[in-house]
């Protein structure tokens, strides 16, 4: 009898212990997920430094501070506006399929809700910062910030709700179709790029960028290619958080996501190099770095659903697209200072379609490719015309383009009254009164 | 045909039609915008003057007379009205200055500084580039209402190398003209080279340590 009681107690005890252990494991799991997404959010935030360095180094010395300022304020206004409006539109309860309608200015939620908002805020900041590089060196600072607010408040989150919406209820129409964009080739990068395209069309090229006689483009080299390269490395590093964090869980899936990210970035640079060599063009540092960033943009949509070999192909083609796309834009008289449109727009569109083409265990699925194409097209048809209207309205009211006098003096001096390199400024482009 | 003779032709034809300041205004307009243009631009010039009733009514006659005198190398023409035009320019400058700069202190003459900087700058340019820069700068100056005395002094400097004397032209307007030159340079030689050239020209004059700081022309 004693023996039976002992066995009984042991069984009950082990069950209680097993339950406790299971609950503890779940808690540990949640904690690990949160830590991983928090680290990923920090990495994505660090990408802003990468963008700032890359864009600033690609501009002339007299505009270096202005470009930095725009990147800095992108994060600041982006954070505030996305918390206030963007998050609710993008992830709030989405019953219509077109936009969310809750969680505006979120101030009560669970720990996970806050972290998710933080992570997505970094994505929103990434989308808007793409514009600043394309429109560098001739845009009025205040006018740019107004545009950045509109993009973060409306253009980015509305499309985001179509593809990713419904975290708090309902779902977006593109998601319902089966659209795959794991970390945002289209949702983040292409949307930013289509806005940038609208911006550079309204702005026009920098003075002297194209010859008035025959329309031939003139190179306006950036002032510090070392900084550009450092920006490229930082972006690459941050992308591990961008793609890896989009798993939203610290699990085994991270392995393939991170490996694909690395392979695509490397292949993107090689793709840019090969294209340059095969077409008899010089292999530029800027186009090589852009090639790897294009590879990263390209793999962002399908990094979780592709085998590594296809990630490599995706990145390689994205690298080629980034170089060819830049030439294509140039031939049309469009001045994109950092080639943001080919790198984020064209490569993003390719990557999104590639996610359908190269899906693991379901290669060349025509219907999936069709859905992906619908998503790519919808992104363009939404973001480009709306951004065009926004930039045109700003141009009409506040004026979007800096005056030629400000272009001559440099926007560092005219917009911020400080210069990036006071001791090393090679050219006298402005005059400041001093009391000495 | 020399610039002086063209001016004499115009003066000979217009004198019986309009007089006084109106005549000098028209002459200066021609000097600034048409003096270096081809003969067939006379018609465009007369279109500009259409609003003046006297010219408007006799436009065809005036045009025929202009062409006839231009083709007749032996025609007797009035003397070159250049001194009278300069006197008119001077009066206009003073008038412009009184309207645009209500300051008590006597204005500084930035003309010599601008002359030196432009001399340094233009010495680096080819003649065809100078022609493009000149055309663009004068065109923009006209469109944006810079005083005719300024554009006139600029063309005089370009044509005859006469130092610019601009005691009553505010610095902001010189900066504007300088910017038009910069933009034209960007279009011709590219922004990087334009920045370098402008910077070099300004620095050379700046290091001469003249009383006025040449860098202020940059804005």
């Amino acid at each position: 009898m004693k023996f039976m009681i002992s066995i009984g107690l042991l069984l009950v005890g082990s069950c209680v212990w097993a339950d406790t252990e299971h609950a503890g494991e779940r808690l540990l799991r949640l904690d690990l997920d949160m830590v991983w997404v928090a680290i990923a959010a920090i990495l994505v935030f660090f990408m802003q430094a990468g963008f700032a360095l890359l864009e600033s180094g690609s501009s002339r010395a007299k505009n270096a501070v202005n470009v930095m300022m725009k990147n800095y304020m992108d994060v600041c206004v982006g954070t505030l506006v996305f918390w206030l409006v963007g998050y609710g539109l993008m992830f709030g309860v989405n019953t219509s399929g077109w936009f969310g309608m809750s969680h505006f200015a979120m101030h009560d939620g669970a720990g996970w809700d806050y972290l998710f908002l933080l992570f997505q805020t970094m994505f929103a900041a990434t989308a808007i910062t793409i514009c600043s590089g394309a429109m560098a060196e001739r845009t009025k600072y205040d006018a740019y910030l107004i545009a950045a607010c509109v993009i973060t408040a409306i253009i980015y989150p509305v499309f985001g709700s179509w593809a990713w919406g419904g975290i708090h209820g309902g779902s977006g129409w593109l998601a319902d179709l089966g659209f795959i964009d794991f970390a945002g080739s289209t949702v983040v990068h292409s949307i930013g790029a289509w806005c940038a395209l609208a911006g550079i069309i309204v702005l026009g090229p920098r003075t002297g960028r194209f010859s008035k006689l025959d329309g031939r483009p003139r190179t306006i080299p950036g002032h510090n290619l070392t900084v550009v390269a450092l920006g490229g490395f930082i972006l690459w590093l941050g992308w591990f958080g961008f793609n890896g964090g989009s798993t939203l869980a610290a699990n085994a899936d991270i392995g393939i996501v991170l490996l694909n990210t690395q392979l695509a970035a490397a292949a993107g640079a090689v793709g840019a190099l090969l294209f340059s060599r095969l077409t008899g063009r010089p292999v530029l540092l800027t186009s090589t770095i852009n090639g790897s960033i294009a590879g990263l943009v390209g793999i962002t949509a399908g990094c979780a659903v592709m085998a590594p070999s296809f990630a490599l192909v995706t990145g390689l083609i994205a690298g080629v697209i980034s170089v060819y796309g830049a030439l294509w834009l140039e031939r049309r008289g469009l001045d994109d200072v950092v080639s943001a449109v080919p790198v984020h727009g064209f490569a993003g569109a390719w990557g999104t379609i590639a996610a359908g083409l190269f899906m693991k265990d379901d290669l060349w699925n025509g219907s999936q490719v069709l859905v992906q194409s619908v998503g790519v097209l919808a992104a363009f048809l939404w973001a480009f015309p709306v951004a065009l209207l926004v930039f045109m309205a700003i141009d009409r009211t506040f004026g979007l383009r800096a005056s030629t006098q400000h272009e001559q003096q440099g926007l560092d001096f005219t917009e911020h009254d400080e210069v990036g390199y006071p001791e090393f400024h090679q050219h006298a482009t402005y005059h400041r009164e001093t009391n000495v | 045909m020399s610039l002086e003779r063209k001016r004499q032709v115009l003066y000979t034809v217009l004198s019986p039609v309009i007089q006084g300041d109106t005549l000098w205004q028209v002459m200066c307009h021609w000097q600034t915008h048409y003096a270096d243009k081809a003969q067939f631009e006379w018609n465009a010039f007369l279109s500009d003057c259409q609003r003046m009733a006297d010219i408007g009514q006799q436009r065809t006659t005036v045009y025929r007379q202009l062409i006839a005198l231009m083709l007749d190398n032996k025609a007797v023409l009035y003397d070159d009205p250049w001194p009278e035009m300069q006197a008119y320019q001077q009066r206009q400058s003073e008038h412009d200055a009184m309207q645009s700069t209500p300051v008590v202190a006597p204005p500084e003459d930035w003309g010599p500084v601008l002359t030196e900087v432009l001399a340094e700058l233009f010495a680096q340019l080819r003649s065809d580039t100078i022609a493009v820069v000149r055309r663009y700068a004068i065109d923009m100056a006209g469109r944006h209402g810079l005083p005719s005395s300024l554009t006139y002094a600029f063309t005089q400097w370009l044509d005859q190398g006469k130092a610019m004397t601009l005691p009553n032209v505010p610095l902001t307007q010189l900066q504007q003209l300088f910017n038009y030159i910069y933009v034209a340079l960007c279009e011709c030689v590219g922004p990087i080279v334009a920045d370098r050239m402008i910077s070099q020209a300004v620095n050379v004059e700046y290091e001469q340590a003249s009383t006025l700081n040449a860098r202020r022309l940059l804005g």
Side-chain angles (χ1 to χ4, degrees), chain A residues 9-89:
Chain A
L9 283 173
L10 196 63
L11 280 173
V12 171
S14 63
C15 283
V16 171
W17 182 79
D19 269 1
T20 312
E21 187 188 40
H22 206 65
E25 206 174 287
R26 277 205 308 271
L27 271 176
L28 183 64
R29 173 93 266 144
L30 183 64
D31 286 348
L32 275 176
D33 290 349
M34 289 198 62
V35 169
W36 168 237
V37 175
I39 291 170
I42 292 165
L43 283 171
V44 181
F45 176 74
F46 195 42
M47 283 173 69
Q48 294 296 325
F51 277 118
L53 289 171
L54 186 131
E55 293 173 14
S56 181
S58 300
S59 310
R60 283 168 288 179
K62 61 182 177 179
N63 299 311
V65 170
N66 177 255
V67 174
M68 278 284 174
M69 283 289 285
K70 283 198 284 187
N71 276 275
Y72 201 88
M73 288 307 290
D74 274 341
V75 185
C76 299
V77 298
T79 298
L80 300 178
V81 172
F82 193 71
W83 169 76
L84 197 65
V85 188
Y87 184 81
L89 274 179

Side-chain angles (χ1 to χ4, degrees), chain A residues 60 62 207-208 210-212 218-221 404-405 407-409 413 426-431 433, chain B residues 172 175-176 178-179 182-183 186-192 195-196 198-199 203 213 215-216 218-219:
Chain A
R60 283 168 288 179
K62 61 182 177 179
T207 305
F210 297 98
S211 166
K212 277 269 189 274
R218 277 197 201 93
T219 307
I220 304 181
T404 53
Q405 265 182 314
E407 251 189 289
Q408 178 192 340
Q409 292 167 291
F413 177 68
Q426 285 185 359
H427 301 316
T429 56
Y430 64 93
H431 169 74
E433 294 292 349
Chain B
T172 50
Q175 288 167 341
Q176 246 178 299
F178 202 64
N179 178 247
Y182 169 77
V183 172
C186 285
E187 302 296 0
C188 291
V189 298
I192 300 292
D195 270 344
R196 183 176 51 73
I198 292 261
S199 173
N203 280 338
N213 182 351
R215 285 185 175 171
R216 290 184 68 189
L218 296 168

Side-chain angles (χ1 to χ4, degrees), chain B residues 90-103:
Chain B
Q90 185 64 33
R91 289 201 303 278
Q92 278 302 109
S93 303
E94 285 162 13
H95 179 71
D96 288 347
M98 279 175 69
Q99 287 195 331
S100 58
T101 54
V103 288

Side-chain angles (χ1 to χ4, degrees), chain A residues 183-412:
Chain A
S185 283
T186 288
V187 174
V188 179
H189 295 278
S190 290
I191 289 291
W194 304 144
C195 293
L197 179 63
I200 61 173
I201 288 172
V202 176
L203 267 178
R206 287 167 289 174
T207 305
R209 174 71 171 87
F210 297 98
S211 166
K212 277 269 189 274
L213 296 174
D214 51 15
R216 271 189 305 151
R218 277 197 201 93
T219 307
I220 304 181
H223 80 282
N224 193 334
L225 294 187
T226 309
V227 160
V228 173
L230 182 60
F233 276 121
I234 290 175
L235 281 172
W236 192 329
L237 170 74
W239 231 284
F240 291 123
F242 201 91
N243 287 354
S246 292
T247 55
L248 300 177
N251 57 27
D253 293 342
I254 296 170
I256 185 77
V257 168
L258 296 189
L259 177 67
N260 281 349
T261 302
Q262 177 72 8
L263 283 172
V270 172
L273 182 149
L274 288 176
F275 181 79
S276 300
R277 277 274 178 262
L278 293 175
T279 54
R281 293 186 167 80
V283 181
L284 304 174
L285 174 77
T286 43
S287 54
T288 306
I289 291 168
N290 275 342
S292 58
I293 297 172
L296 289 163
V297 170
I299 199 59
T300 296
C303 55
V305 297
M306 275 186 210
S309 53
F310 287 109
L312 189 152
V313 173
T314 303
L316 193 81
I317 294 173
V320 172
I321 288 172
S322 72
V323 183
Y324 180 76
L327 297 169
W328 188 84
L329 279 185
E330 255 190 5
R331 279 201 290 272
R332 274 144 194 84
L334 295 169
D335 182 17
D336 177 351
V337 176
V338 295
S339 299
V341 174
V343 168
H344 297 272
F346 301 162
W350 153 245
T352 307
I353 291 166
L357 278 173
F358 303 143
M359 235 164 85
K360 206 173 179 183
D361 303 327
D362 195 12
L363 287 173
W364 323 112
N365 181 335
S367 60
Q368 186 62 49
V369 173
L370 186 68
V371 170
Q372 297 299 100
S373 305
V374 168
V376 167
L377 196 65
F380 181 80
L381 292 178
W382 162 247
F384 178 72
V386 176
L388 199 64
L389 287 175
V390 169
F391 282 120
M392 284 164 77
I394 292 172
D395 194 38
R396 284 282 174 86
T397 49
F398 306 99
L400 185 64
R401 181 157 184 144
S403 69
T404 53
Q405 265 182 314
H406 286 192
E407 251 189 289
Q408 178 192 340
Q409 292 167 291
L411 301 184
D412 290 3

Side-chain angles (χ1 to χ4, degrees), chain A residues 103-114:
Chain A
H103 292 76
F104 296 105
M106 190 164 76
H107 61 275
D108 53 352
W112 176 255
D113 295 329
Y114 295 133

